Amino acid sequence: HYSHGPHVAGIAAAGNPAAKILAARMSWSHQSPPPVPTLERSRFTAQMYRDIVDYFKKNNVRVVNMSWRYNSASIEGALMAHGIGKTPEERMQMAREMFEIEKQALYDAIKNAPEILFIAGSGNENNDANFSEYIPATFDLPNLITIGAVDSEGKKTTFTTEGASVDFYANGYEVESFVPGGDRLKMSGTSMASPQAANIAAKLLAVNPKLKPAQIIKLIAEASEASAEDAKIRLINPK
């Protein structure tokens, strides 16, 4: 938990002296069981999403990396851990109501910031992001792209989440970056792949600050290459 954010930030800023990092800390409990999900908590989370994106706007943020995701099943599992809900169907309905509050707020917040490019990691469960309803990975918005993970040779990792919403793939296997204290460590995950794309977007903006999100996405797409393993997989080309 403590090393994930700095590791991701190090990847996003690597090789770009023009980059400035604005941190928006999101912490998940490591406790078992996790905190009890409630409608009040979901409404608080929804407001948090609105506040964070407003914070980005006020600070002229251009690229946002989002190395995180969750779905309704995450909330459902927390309810089950606390024995809340008389039946699985009731728990599912309760979780869905809470999830939709958070999902809609995040979607609207990103949609209402068209000048910012948002980049999401797809997930590490070797599944389909759309089937699992991961947010923000499955949002279909013109200012958001989702990144899956390949290794340094461009081969799909065993863990990467795929699906129609995954736009590009980048290296997410044993990527070296900083951890607190200044040491460097190798980590794997789409959490490491997503900031590779943020890194490229930030470098493009360093060269031309006038670029809009759609133009950045177009440049990344034009420079991407089809994987020899699967033509549907578009590999980001850092060069």
Side-chain angles (χ1 to χ4, degrees):
H1 278 63
Y2 72 87
S3 61
H4 182 271
H7 196 274
V8 167
I11 296 169
N16 186 358
K20 294 181 180 179
I21 298 291
L22 182 71
R25 183 185 177 98
M26 294 178 66
S27 299
W28 279 269
S29 174
H30 64 279
Q31 297 174 336
S32 183
V36 178
T38 63
L39 284 172
E40 182 183 14
R41 181 182 286 272
S42 288
R43 293 187 187 104
F44 179 89
T45 299
Q47 187 58 48
M48 178 265 293
Y49 288 143
R50 290 187 281 267
D51 291 344
I52 282 180
V53 176
D54 283 343
Y55 178 59
F56 292 156
K57 289 179 180 178
K58 290 174 184 175
N59 285 277
N60 300 313
V61 168
R62 303 297 308 278
V63 181
V64 174
N65 180 77
M66 300 183 292
S67 287
W68 55 274
R69 80 277 172 206
Y70 66 99
N71 59 7
S72 180
S74 306
I75 301 173
E76 192 177 336
L79 289 171
M80 185 169 63
H82 287 278
I84 298 173
K86 296 177 182 178
T87 64
E89 291 74 22
E90 184 180 2
R91 272 195 299 273
M92 185 181 296
Q93 185 177 353
M94 292 170 67
R96 172 57 61 178
E97 183 180 1
M98 296 177 203
F99 179 67
E100 287 298 332
I101 291 170
E102 299 175 23
K103 175 184 175 182
Q104 193 61 51
L106 180 59
Y107 181 91
D108 290 343
I110 294 174
K111 182 181 178 181
N112 293 328
E115 69 284 3
I116 301 175
L117 175 61
F118 292 82
I119 302 176
S122 63
N124 304 323
E125 287 73 44
N126 186 27
N127 57 357
D128 186 293
N130 298 79
F131 182 80
S132 299
E133 288 189 275
Y134 284 154
I135 61 170
T138 55
F139 288 162
D140 184 11
L141 288 167
N143 61 329
L144 184 147
I145 56 175
T146 298
I147 311 297
V150 293
D151 62 20
S152 59
E153 295 180 350
K155 295 179 180 178
K156 190 169 59 179
T157 61
T158 56
F159 58 78
T160 188
T161 291
E162 303 175 74
S165 63
V166 182
D167 301 288
F168 305 103
Y169 288 75
N171 184 20
Y173 182 71
E174 293 194 353
V175 180
E176 187 177 276
S177 184
F178 291 102
V179 293
D183 290 336
R184 292 178 67 85
L185 193 70
K186 290 181 179 180
M187 293 188 185
S188 299
T190 56
S191 282
M192 284 69 240
S194 176
Q196 305 273 7
N199 180 288
I200 293 173
K203 284 175 178 172
L204 288 169
L205 284 165
V207 174
N208 183 0
K210 295 181 179 180
L211 289 172
K212 304 295 184 185
Q215 294 172 308
I216 297 170
I217 295 170
K218 184 171 183 286
L219 288 168
I220 291 174
E222 288 175 349
S224 67
E225 302 167 345
S227 166
E229 192 177 36
D230 184 345
K232 291 183 291 184
I233 292 179
R234 300 300 303 182
L235 304 175
I236 280 178
N237 186 330
K239 293 181 181 179

